[in-house]
Amino acid sequence: MREINGAEIILEILQEHDLNTVFGYPGGSVLPIYDALHSYREKIDHILTRHEQGAAHAADGYARCSGKTGVCIVTSGPGAANTVSGLMTAYMDSTPMLVITGQVSVNNLGTDAFQELDITGVTDSITKHNYLVRSIEELSDLLREAIYLTENGRPGPVLIDIPKDIQTSKMSYDNFQNSCSSEYNTVSEYKYIYEKPKKNETDEFIEMIRKSKRPVILAGNGVMKSNSSKELRKFSKKFDIPVATTLLGLGILPAEDRYNLHMLGMHGTAYANYAADEADLIIALGMRFDNRVTGNIHRFCKDAKIIHVDIDEAEIDKNKRADLHIVGDVNLVLKALLKYKAEGENKVWMNRVMELKKKYPLDRNFSTDYILPQYLISKISELTKGEAIVCTDVGQHQMWTAQYYNFNRINSIITSGGAGTMGFGLPAAIGAKLANPNREVIAILGDGGFQMNSQELMTISEYKLDIKIIIVNNSFLGMVKQLQEVFYEKRHSFVKLEKNPDFVMLGRAYGIDSYLAETPVELDKLLGEIFSKKRSALVNCIVSKEENVFPMIPGGKSVDEMIMSKEEL
Amino acid sequence: MKKYQILVIMRNRPGILSKVSGLFSKRGFNIDGITCGVSEKKEHFRMTITVIGDESFVEQVKRQVAKLIDVVKVQILDEKKVVKRELALIKVKSDSENRLEIIKIVEIYRAKIIDISHEALIIELTGDSNKVEGLIGVMDKFGILESARTGISAMHRGI
Ligand SMILES: Cc1ncc(C[n+]2csc(CCOP(=O)(O)OP(=O)(O)O)c2C)c(N)n1
């Protein structure tokens, strides 16, 4: 009788779900899985990162631009613990991700055995769900359920902890095959049903649009996740409604689209923030009124009625009370709304919006003989026509990327929005490139955050991934420096990175073509060069140290306290 | 501010209690009480969670709890239709002098004395929280040595 062991079951089920790129790092309690990976190497690509955090972020980046679940395999204890930042990041941004952790054998559970960690306990609050598998019989059901959960309803990370002896236990292949679905369907009482919105809901929706004079759409990650870019574009045009997006919503409309107000919130464009503030109707689609978006929640869009569409019912009324809500998939809601007749244009409001756009553009005065970070991003945007996948780290460079990169395509900004995890950008770019070998992938990083996962340069080099690595080097933990300037009377406390390694030498040590750019002229030449080649490159861009991100609505404040430039500080 | 009872039915999987209590601490919700045990189906656990707050607060609690994957059903129990009971064990100082007085009070409350020693006795009471608090209030003057309350279990009347 043919038999199959737990480790093989795991790989069979990954394959069954077409998940054949996995990121990971081996160790004692996943040895059986790694042994099986050796036999499955024709069918499953395993990418060895240099740190488990890198593996988790890479799986996240992979998921964000492939639409598939990102998979990460790590060993128990320290290996599992190293995925915590990755799980939190994925959880906050609703990335479908599966983390498989090895665990000590069942009979050692709870004994503080070598490398034992109660990882389900640790990750309860940063996973959509997690499991500790207790027998080989339940392994396949739980694993299938786990994968199902990652992507169904509101996506999110799921962790499954599998003791080593379960990886080596065997069952008959026939039993494994027959175990499919029957119980798994009943176990999974969680079934997100994608239903069309009810007619009375969409009737009321349209009625509220008709009654409003100054509607604004706020589009978030949910619009991206439900693949609704096309529908949103049609909808905003048909009903003549401008669209502001969250950080993760960038790219939902092409940058130049007339209706696109770009990002709103703390470092959003002034015109998006003013438009939202003047609105009498806010149509929030797949966004959750995060405080980086709203500032002072009580004063946010205080004169507006609010319609909230979200797949997660718990988001309704969580931060901001909605006058009408629809729980469901944004795509189905938009499709239903598109069936209604529009009342024609709303010239007065659109004129006002255009006026705001004209009056408060982003500052584009770049004529300096040193490199302005804003110039750097604009240049990259220009060179790649806003078509690249841009992975960022966290900090000022992230906000400048959001402001100055003209995102023209969906799933193109890969950034830690909800969690703000430094160290995310470089490994995420690895996942992004593997998911999209044919698109240009750029990692834009601060000199601080780059050093949090710079070991992943080796992964890029080893797998010959064509990733352009841009270090926005201001010798500061820039964003924190900015906060100290605004809130702590410019007392710079431990934010200066006086001693950085020589990034060019560092890049070269990992086998990556690396360059230094200190002036705009050098920069132009270098960027032109690296983007013309299909191989990875690193550019250490020395940018001005003084620059801060504007506009800025200081945390907890509202639009009327927006700071437009350093002169206003 | 009001007390609400939320009924939660969950799959009987390892760790469900910590998933629920973890959710409460993560969201900063206060639990006023929680009771938990097997339901009419052995694969399901039944919990009655008591929270204090306004309507929008319990609604948010309900939605967050409903999000837990192991949760099969959540319902905010309707004050008008609900039967609520709590079990309390109260150990009271008692000697031969006041024993009779205590026994009389216990009878009035339809509680039971389930243990007597020279210096103390243990009273068992089931009832709604008002009744439990009432008895505890009266017993106070004799000297309560220990009291253990289960928290509220609740169920809707009818079908
Ligand atoms: C893991 C982690 N630690 C600390 C922070 C707090 N933090 C936010 S931005 C920032 C500074 C980032 O500096 P750098 O990477 O140089 O980027 P810059 O802001 O200069 O562009 C810090 C320390 C964080 N977001 N993540």
Side-chain angles (χ1 to χ4, degrees), chain A residues 393-441:
Chain A
D393 222 77
V394 172
Q396 291 183 314
H397 66 281
Q398 178 191 34
M399 291 299 111
W400 286 316
T401 304
Q403 293 177 338
Y404 288 90
Y405 192 90
N406 291 324
F407 290 95
N408 278 323
R409 290 174 66 170
I410 57 166
N411 298 330
S412 297
I413 179 153
I414 309 298
T415 193
S416 171
T421 309
M422 280 169 80
F424 174 78
L426 192 65
I430 294 174
K433 188 69 200 182
L434 285 158
N436 279 283
N438 299 324
R439 281 182 70 186
E440 187 78 75
V441 172

Side-chain angles (χ1 to χ4, degrees), chain A residues 279-312:
Chain A
D280 65 353
L281 176 67
I282 290 290
I283 302 172
L285 303 175
M287 59 83 73
R288 59 192 173 84
F289 297 99
D290 178 88
N291 58 332
R292 279 288 183 273
V293 165
T294 64
N296 182 334
I297 191 83
H298 304 293
R299 282 155 68 190
F300 178 71
C301 301
K302 52 194 179 313
D303 304 325
K305 291 237 181 278
I306 292 189
I307 303 177
H308 193 179
V309 180
D310 204 289
I311 203 160
D312 180 357

